[in-house]
């Protein structure tokens, strides 16, 4: 009875998480490695629970054979390694999501997708955080960093600049960096501008909370002293971008 109840709980959890991963696609056509992983993972776990008796029988059969035992050891070792990496990356993400301020630093807003000439929801979250910080720190210049994708009418930098100006930020405080296509380029190209303009080489990175750790690691690699202005992600987008960021962090660790 207890095993059956546990199975129902796990199935309900899988359905909930599957729907949570599906919401961004249904509402905003967001489909990436993050919510694909969530949906495929939940679907596989659901099937494991439904067919658990046959799966257990199959595992016992494999374990009884020497080659099968080796395959199972390798398989579960890979699963364990993935789990340890995910937990470690999650801990680092949580640590990186806290706000850390540097006095008189240059504010750097990292770009994100633009829908036509309007900021996506995630980019707007970053811009709200940047606006609030700039209003509280009128002495800080701001670099908005992001190039133009093939499906974007204007560069991310131009979109961000327009939003901040319309929000009451003095346009003279805003410098555009519109060449970058990645977090590393955001930081390295912006550093060139900072040095050219004579701004403080200490920067406040404005990005979503889950992205702060990886952005900070890139800044560390470029020997940039940095603080963080974390933007809070809408709850229904969080699993999608959290999982996608796990891939990004592991890539950063490996390469």
């Amino acid at each position: 009875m207890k095993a059956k109840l546990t199975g129902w709980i796990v199935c309900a959890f899988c359905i909930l998480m599957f729907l949570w991963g599906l919401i961004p696609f249904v509402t905003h056509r967001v489909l990436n490695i993050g919510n694909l992983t969530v949906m495929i993972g939940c679907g596989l776990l659901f099937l494991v629970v439904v067919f658990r008796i046959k799966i257990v029988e199959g595992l016992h059969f494999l374990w009884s054979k020497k080659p099968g035992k080796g395959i199972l050891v390798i398989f579960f070792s890979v699963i364990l390694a993935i789990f340890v990496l995910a937990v470690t990356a999650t801990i680092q993400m949580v640590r990186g999501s806290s706000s850390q301020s540097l006095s008189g630093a240059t504010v750097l807003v990292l770009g994100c997708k633009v829908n036509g000439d309007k900021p996506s929801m995630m980019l707007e979250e970053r811009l709200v955080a940047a606006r609030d910080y700039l209003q509280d720190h009128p002495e800080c210049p701001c670099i908005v960093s992001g190039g133009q994708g093939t499906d974007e009418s204007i560069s991310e930098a131009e979109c961000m600049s327009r939003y901040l100006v319309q929000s009451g930020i003095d346009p003279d405080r805003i410098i555009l960096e519109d060449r970058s296509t990645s977090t590393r380029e955001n930081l390295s190209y912006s550093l060139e501008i900072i040095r050219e303009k004579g701004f403080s080489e200490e920067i406040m990175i404005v990005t979503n909370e889950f992205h702060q750790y990886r952005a900070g690691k890139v800044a560390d690699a470029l020997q940039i002293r940095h603080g963080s202005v974390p933007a809070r992600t809408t709850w229904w987008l969080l699993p999608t971008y959290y999982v996608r960021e796990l891939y990004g962090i592991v890539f950063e660790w490996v390469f």
Side-chain angles (χ1 to χ4, degrees):
M1 183 67 182
K2 187 179 289 186
K4 184 176 288 188
L5 178 61
T6 301
W8 279 108
I9 292 172
V10 174
C11 285
F13 173 78
C14 289
I15 293 170
L16 176 64
M17 291 304 298
F18 181 91
L19 293 174
W20 204 348
L22 187 63
I23 289 172
F25 175 72
V26 172
T27 58
H28 287 75
R29 292 297 181 266
V30 173
L31 186 64
N32 58 42
I33 195 170
N35 54 349
L36 278 174
T37 298
V38 170
M39 290 187 289
I40 292 172
C42 288
L44 290 174
L45 183 57
F46 183 88
L47 291 175
V48 166
V49 173
V50 171
F51 297 105
R52 61 187 178 277
I53 295 176
K54 291 188 178 297
I55 289 172
V56 169
E57 291 174 352
L59 291 175
H60 280 304
F61 174 78
L62 281 175
W63 191 255
S64 68
K65 309 295 181 181
K66 192 171 182 179
K69 189 175 292 187
I71 291 170
L72 288 178
V73 168
I74 293 171
F75 175 77
F76 285 108
S77 295
V78 170
I79 295 297
L80 178 61
I82 292 172
F83 176 77
V84 170
L85 279 173
V87 170
T88 304
T90 299
I91 291 170
Q92 295 299 335
M93 260 194 275
V94 171
R95 287 178 176 173
S97 67
S98 59
S99 179
Q100 300 169 347
S101 188
L102 296 173
S103 179
T106 302
V107 176
L108 173 58
V109 190
L110 303 186
C112 191
K113 183 174 175 56
V114 170
N115 296 321
D117 62 353
K118 303 295 182 186
S120 61
M121 181 174 293
M122 191 158 297
L123 182 55
E124 187 167 5
E125 288 166 347
R126 298 180 186 186
L127 291 168
V128 168
R131 178 202 65 199
D132 293 345
Y133 188 86
L134 290 167
Q135 287 175 344
D136 291 340
H137 299 81
E139 76 284 0
C140 294
C142 175
I143 298 177
V144 287
S145 177
Q148 182 175 349
T150 54
D151 58 344
E152 296 172 332
S153 301
I154 58 175
S155 70
E156 294 167 6
E158 177 64 31
C159 178
M160 289 189 281
S161 176
R162 291 181 185 179
Y163 185 98
L164 290 174
V165 170
Q166 290 170 2
S167 298
I169 305 300
D170 185 346
D172 291 338
R173 298 175 64 191
I174 303 171
I175 309 296
L176 279 67
E177 183 290 296
D178 59 4
R179 296 182 295 148
S180 55
T181 60
S182 67
T183 300
R184 186 169 296 275
E185 289 181 355
N186 286 146
L187 286 153
S188 59
Y189 292 163
S190 295
L191 183 59
E192 292 176 8
I193 294 174
I194 286 169
R195 288 171 174 168
E196 178 186 318
K197 298 288 185 181
F199 294 157
S200 170
E201 292 191 21
E202 296 182 342
I203 65 171
M204 292 297 298
I205 301 173
V206 183
T207 188
N208 290 79
E209 73 277 81
F210 61 80
H211 188 223
Q212 282 288 353
Y213 168 71
R214 183 158 60 97
K217 290 294 289 181
V218 174
D220 289 340
L222 295 171
Q223 298 183 321
I224 302 173
R225 187 161 181 257
H226 59 89
S228 60
V229 182
R232 299 305 171 189
T233 306
T234 303
W235 67 270
W236 53 268
L237 281 175
L238 196 54
T240 293
Y241 285 96
Y242 156 73
V243 174
R244 191 181 77 162
E245 188 65 13
L246 288 179
Y247 285 101
I249 290 173
V250 172
F251 182 85
E252 194 67 36
W253 283 347
V254 173
F255 300 101

